[in-house]
Amino acid sequence: MADDFRFAQMGDGREIAFRTFGRPDGSLIVHSPSGPWPVELLDDDPMYDRFLRTLGSSGRVVVYDRPGTGSSDPLDPDGDWFGQNIDAYCAVLDALGTQAAWLVGSTLAITAETIRARPERVLGAVLINPVSAEHWRRVVGLLADGQRTSPSEMAKLHTPSRADDLAFAEWLERANRLGRSRSGSVDHATANRQAVRSFSAEARPVVNGPPMLLIRRRDGMTSETFEFFARIFPDAEHVTIEGADFGEMAADSGLVAELAVEFITGVPVEASVERTLMAVLFTDLVGSTSTAVSMGDTAWRSTLDRYEATLQRTIQRHHGTVVKQTGDGALATFRSGSEAVAAALDLRHTTRELGLDGRTGVHLGEIERRDDDISGIAVNLAARIMGEAAPGEIIVSSSVEQTTVGGRFHFHECGSRTLTGIERPGTVFAVDLRD
């Protein structure tokens, strides 16, 4: 995601790291992660990336590291917690030369206090399943017991729809580790818990505030807790969706962002999204690191350049489109499963001629086109299917096998697989040319 990484300066000289991206002619939307996750890592997770891209389709999006997180300067331990977070938000707006913005996130306490303290700097807000004091208590418990807490346990607590997604668990663990120290993360969660508890004690409503949308995931928040949050913002619009997740990187991240965009702009985001049935191909090299070491930098760079050129030509020859390079591989789309499989077989042959080995996954399903990128469950499935392939293998989903029956390809059933992050198991097939 192309963006601008900059620093804003607070009144006391401390710096706040922030990124901007999206449409410069749209509404200004500010998002600060609910957890201690550096903004430089957010789009490394595909669901968080989808959330941010959807927001960016309608306006200019700003994401920033709160004091004490990521590349921002530390919190002042003797300073007011609310005041420092509000000052950081205002410093980012000042750096952009902007008076006010929309707030989008799940931090109830900071959002409410910002509106109360600096109402002139908030155009409106969207709160996504605001986190309760009880939830923060459980986070504190897991972080404080970090020696015995696996990444999957934290993922299950925060985003149960992705509890079995090992890649997400690893991302969450890495983002927590790089965002703050363990003690800093405990302090962060404790401060949020205390802030929400203070709201429980006072229950002071925000009256005559800016436009507010409150999104509740039905199984992620009890009706009593939701009603309490609604009392804080008595004039807010309410939307209830299915799910049990917190935060922004759930499996429904696209839907949540679309609801936010529609509330902010008054225009449904679906009008700018094109859904198309396509064959999606993921491919990458196996053992590229060890190969690079054995070949040396110069020889490896030359070989990789030839591989990338061959990959582009092969995909284009089979009427495919390279969506993006993925380091030592690519994501591509085709009009049919047959074209994708033919390209995969051709690519396997040319890759071996270069002395390299690759693996490929293909799935047929609906994708969403946004500008020059694609997203959707079909893209995630193709990536997961590639992960099932051994070196030199081409693995396809049942949708590819079923739509190419009777053609020139021979498929070997590999059995039912539970793919990471996908609830239902599916049958996958290895493919080769028919004798």
Side-chain angles (χ1 to χ4, degrees):
M1 182 187 302
D3 62 63
D4 179 22
F5 190 95
R6 297 167 57 189
F7 288 90
Q9 194 169 73
M10 298 171 63
D12 59 7
R14 282 179 294 162
E15 292 188 323
I16 300 300
F18 69 95
R19 297 170 60 188
T20 61
F21 54 88
R23 291 175 47 189
D25 59 338
S27 302
L28 181 63
I29 301 170
V30 174
H31 169 68
S32 179
S34 56
W37 312 310
V39 296
E40 290 183 87
L41 299 183
L42 299 185
D43 45 8
D44 285 356
D45 175 69
M47 292 297 100
Y48 219 136
D49 180 60
R50 184 177 185 184
F51 173 80
L52 296 175
R53 283 182 180 277
T54 303
L55 291 182
S57 68
S58 67
R60 188 181 186 190
V61 178
V62 182
V63 291
Y64 70 98
D65 289 332
R66 292 189 207 158
T69 298
S71 298
S72 289
D73 281 335
L75 277 162
D76 178 357
D78 299 321
D80 175 66
W81 185 77
F82 276 122
Q84 292 181 75
N85 278 283
I86 293 171
D87 288 348
Y89 164 72
C90 293
V92 170
L93 295 189
D94 291 342
L96 293 169
T98 303
Q99 174 63 20
W102 285 85
L103 286 167
V104 176
S106 58
T107 52
L108 169 82
I110 294 177
T111 300
E113 284 302 308
T114 301
I115 292 172
R116 285 173 177 151
R118 304 299 301 271
E120 77 282 2
R121 311 222 69 172
V122 183
L123 297 174
V126 177
L127 278 176
I128 305 163
N129 220 64
V131 180
S132 66
E134 171 60 21
H135 179 86
W136 282 120
R137 183 193 67 78
R138 295 171 64 193
V139 172
V140 170
L142 281 177
L143 290 171
D145 194 29
Q147 294 296 327
R148 295 192 296 273
T149 300
S150 68
S152 59
E153 288 180 279
M154 186 62 74
K156 183 176 182 180
L157 171 63
H158 193 277
T159 315
S161 71
R162 303 181 66 191
D164 296 327
D165 186 339
L166 296 181
F168 171 64
E170 292 171 358
W171 176 88
L172 190 61
E173 193 276 335
R174 180 165 60 101
N176 280 327
R177 184 178 69 251
L178 297 180
R180 294 177 188 252
S181 65
R182 190 161 61 116
S183 61
S185 294
V186 172
D187 291 343
H188 167 87
T190 301
N192 275 281
R193 181 191 179 202
Q194 291 172 345
V196 177
R197 288 182 67 185
S198 72
F199 274 78
S200 302
E202 300 177 17
R204 292 188 296 134
V206 176
V207 295
N208 300 319
M212 171 73 64
L213 175 66
L214 193 59
I215 300 174
R216 172 202 175 202
R217 291 189 177 99
R218 190 182 305 277
D219 298 325
M221 184 192 302
T222 66
S223 58
E224 292 79 11
T225 302
F226 183 74
E227 289 168 4
F228 162 71
F229 288 146
R231 287 199 300 274
I232 301 298
F233 295 104
D235 300 325
E237 292 188 28
H238 302 164
V239 174
T240 298
I241 59 178
E242 299 302 322
D245 298 306
F246 294 90
E248 303 82 13
M249 62 287 232
D252 62 1
S253 62
L255 169 63
V256 170
E258 288 169 4
L259 291 170
V261 167
E262 183 171 356
F263 181 74
I264 292 169
T265 65
V267 179
V269 75
E270 288 81 0
S272 63
V273 176
E274 177 190 351
R275 291 188 65 88
T276 311
L277 182 66
M278 300 288 286
V280 181
L281 179 149
F282 263 103
T283 187
D284 69 7
L285 297 177
V286 179
S288 57
T289 301
S290 58
T291 304
V293 171
S294 64
M295 295 179 66
D297 290 342
T298 301
W300 170 245
R301 183 66 258 175
S302 174
T303 300
L304 191 58
D305 287 343
R306 292 166 59 200
Y307 166 74
E308 291 175 350
T310 298
L311 187 150
Q312 288 273 358
R313 289 196 301 270
T314 301
I315 290 173
Q316 292 171 4
R317 185 164 58 250
H318 292 279
H319 311 292
T321 300
V322 176
V323 178
K324 58 184 174 184
Q325 302 285 134
T326 58
D328 52 5
L331 164 64
T333 57
F334 297 82
R335 296 173 301 181
S336 70
S338 294
E339 290 176 328
V341 172
L345 287 163
D346 196 355
L347 185 62
R348 179 170 65 177
H349 175 70
T350 55
T351 299
R352 286 175 171 171
E353 285 187 333
L354 293 171
L356 304 173
D357 222 345
R359 57 177 183 164
T360 303
V362 183
H363 175 62
L364 182 70
E366 283 197 343
I367 61 169
E368 293 183 0
R369 292 189 181 276
R370 296 178 186 273
D371 299 324
D372 58 350
D373 201 0
I374 64 173
S375 62
I377 298 299
V379 179
N380 295 332
L381 267 170
R384 301 292 184 259
I385 290 168
M386 182 188 70
E388 296 291 312
E393 271 195 320
I394 301 166
I395 301 294
V396 305
S397 65
S398 58
S399 62
V400 175
E401 187 270 343
Q402 291 167 5
T403 56
T404 57
V405 169
R408 60 192 180 95
F409 305 117
H410 179 56
F411 299 93
H412 304 277
E413 184 175 330
C414 301
S416 180
R417 305 285 178 88
T418 300
L419 302 174
T420 302
I422 307 299
E423 292 183 2
R424 294 181 300 174
T427 302
V428 296
F429 300 81
V431 61
D432 207 338
L433 281 175
R434 178 167 291 171
D435 295 333

